[in-house]
Amino acid sequence: SITGETVELLEPYLDMEDYNLETAKKVCGNVAGLCSWTQAMAYFYGINKEVLPLKANLALQEGRLAAAQTELNNAQIQLDEKQMELDRVQAMYDSAMKEKQALLDDAEACRKKMNNATALIEGLGGEKIRWTASSKNFQNQITNLVGNVLLATGFLSYSGPFNQEYRNLLLQLWKKEMDNSKIPYSNDLNLTGMLVDNATVSEWNLQGLPNDDLSIQNGIIVTKASRYPLLIDPQGQGKIWIKNKEKNNGLQVNT
């Protein structure tokens, strides 16, 4: 309830030299406390006059601070929610990117397999004609196998003593009999190719056997026939061949 006007009325008294607690005690001890109290209240008014705006501003700023803090808390809550949502979206994004990379890897692997398969198919396409012909040839060989084996066994069993011309004549006679008996055989049958491979013939040639058809047929009869061979060998070629062929098998020769 102290006002500025009251303080102004008191100022003449407050400025007096003897308006103090010590002097008042000397004059009248009962009012000495009142003198001190009026001084304190005047001083309090001066201080409070400066403090009140500060207190009002403090209350205002505290209100603003509380509002800002509330807004900050709300913003922090929203930030936390958005961060959680961002984390979920980031996890979904990472999963989607991982799946995308896996699909890209699978697609690349499939593309490589497809390219390899295409190259293989294109490569095999050129073999189709040959395989078809080979399959047909194999089927013909199966059909003609009995007749071909019969001709081969006849050749091994009976052709040894004869020359090339008579051997061919025997072969033609046998084919005629087989035609009459309806036994299938290959018209282009090569007995030499059927009974021995080229690598063996080459080895025989290195061992001294001549490379003509008659000599190769004689070599087949010597190595394939069940009966021991008797060689009529005026030039000694067969003798040289047998020695070279059997020298690693401990062949003993009586000279």
Side-chain angles (χ1 to χ4, degrees), residues 7 16 35 85 100 106 146 151 175 199 208-209 224 245:
V7 174
M16 293 179 181
C35 176
E85 184 176 355
K100 175 186 176 182
D106 290 343
V146 174
L151 291 173
K175 288 182 178 180
L209 184 69
K224 302 291 185 180
K245 183 177 183 299

Side-chain angles (χ1 to χ4, degrees), residues 191-210:
L191 290 175
T192 301
M194 180 178 179
L195 294 172
V196 69
D197 56 73
N198 293 331
T200 302
V201 172
S202 298
E203 185 178 358
W204 290 349
N205 296 148
L206 293 175
Q207 293 167 349
L209 184 69

